[in-house]
Amino acid sequence: MTVEELIAMLEMQEEILQFNHFTNEDAWELGNIMVAEARRRKMPVAISIRLNNGYTVFQYAGDGTNLHNENWLRRKYNTVKTLERSSLYTYMLLRKNEETMENLFLDEKDYACCGGGFPVRVEEVGVVGAILVSGLDHVSDHDFIVKCVSRYLHIDEVPRIRGDILS
């Protein structure tokens, strides 16, 4: 796949995976779906769902995760909150334009240019928060979110990016 095709696929994911509403209860239900999937697949991940005001409405730290994962979650959150796009989309856009985070005036200490952050976009409202995963390679972090949000929203046909396609 070309970079342009991957960007188009990421845009499609964000368009398809929108919520009708998003409450703290929704975050709890989605978070529990994610934890169940991570446990079933024995994935050492940290999961966080945060609102735009910074409030963490769901958090899970699986065995094998640590403060390093928490720092990745924070940086991925900042990226999604600031740009209102998935952090993998930002990665691909920068790659396409042969730019760095510096071109977007983003400091690498506070922002992450890699997969694992996905916007919580409510139809006719906009981005209200972010879903974050750390612990796998960054494409797998992203795909894990897409898979779980698809399941939560009962949407079967969502294009997915898997594996080492970005190598």
Side-chain angles (χ1 to χ4, degrees):
M1 276 190 142
T2 67
V3 171
E4 289 80 9
E5 290 170 329
L6 289 167
I7 288 172
M9 186 181 293
L10 291 164
E11 288 171 344
M12 192 180 306
Q13 288 176 343
E14 290 184 33
E15 178 64 30
I16 293 169
L17 297 176
Q18 293 190 46
F19 296 80
N20 293 332
H21 54 77
F22 197 79
T23 64
N24 293 1
E25 255 329 285
D26 294 320
W28 174 256
E29 289 177 32
L30 173 58
N32 278 288
I33 287 170
M34 296 176 78
V35 169
E37 180 68 11
R39 286 180 173 166
R40 185 182 71 74
R41 294 172 52 193
K42 296 178 178 32
M43 301 167 81
V45 295
I47 300 167
S48 186
I49 303 174
R50 302 177 188 184
L51 302 179
N52 278 350
N53 65 6
Y55 185 47
T56 300
V57 289
F58 185 89
Q59 185 123 334
Y60 168 79
D63 288 339
T65 63
N66 55 41
L67 186 58
H68 187 64
N69 298 103
E70 171 63 27
N71 288 328
W72 276 104
L73 294 174
R74 176 187 57 80
R75 293 171 56 221
K76 291 175 185 186
Y77 166 75
N78 288 341
T79 301
V80 174
K81 179 184 172 194
T82 300
L83 302 176
E84 297 189 341
R85 300 307 299 250
S86 76
S87 53
L88 187 58
Y89 176 88
T90 301
Y91 171 86
M92 292 307 303
L93 190 64
L94 291 175
R95 187 169 163 179
K96 175 187 173 217
N97 296 332
E98 297 181 1
E99 295 179 330
T100 66
M101 290 173 51
E102 205 171 89
N103 294 101
L104 298 177
F105 306 102
L106 302 178
D107 186 333
E108 289 185 21
K109 289 181 277 186
D110 296 315
Y111 296 85
C113 174
C114 62
F118 197 88
V120 175
R121 190 179 309 273
V122 176
E123 294 171 355
E124 299 183 28
V125 174
V127 176
V128 300
I131 304 160
L132 313 153
V133 170
S134 174
L136 309 171
D137 68 84
H138 78 115
V139 176
S140 296
D141 282 346
H142 176 88
D143 187 58
F144 178 74
I145 295 169
V146 168
K147 180 179 180 177
C148 292
V149 172
S150 299
R151 182 177 300 146
Y152 176 77
L153 294 174
H154 306 289
I155 299 173
D156 295 328
E157 297 299 318
V158 178
R160 291 177 50 200
I161 299 170
R162 301 176 200 179
D164 59 357
I165 195 165
L166 303 179
S167 300

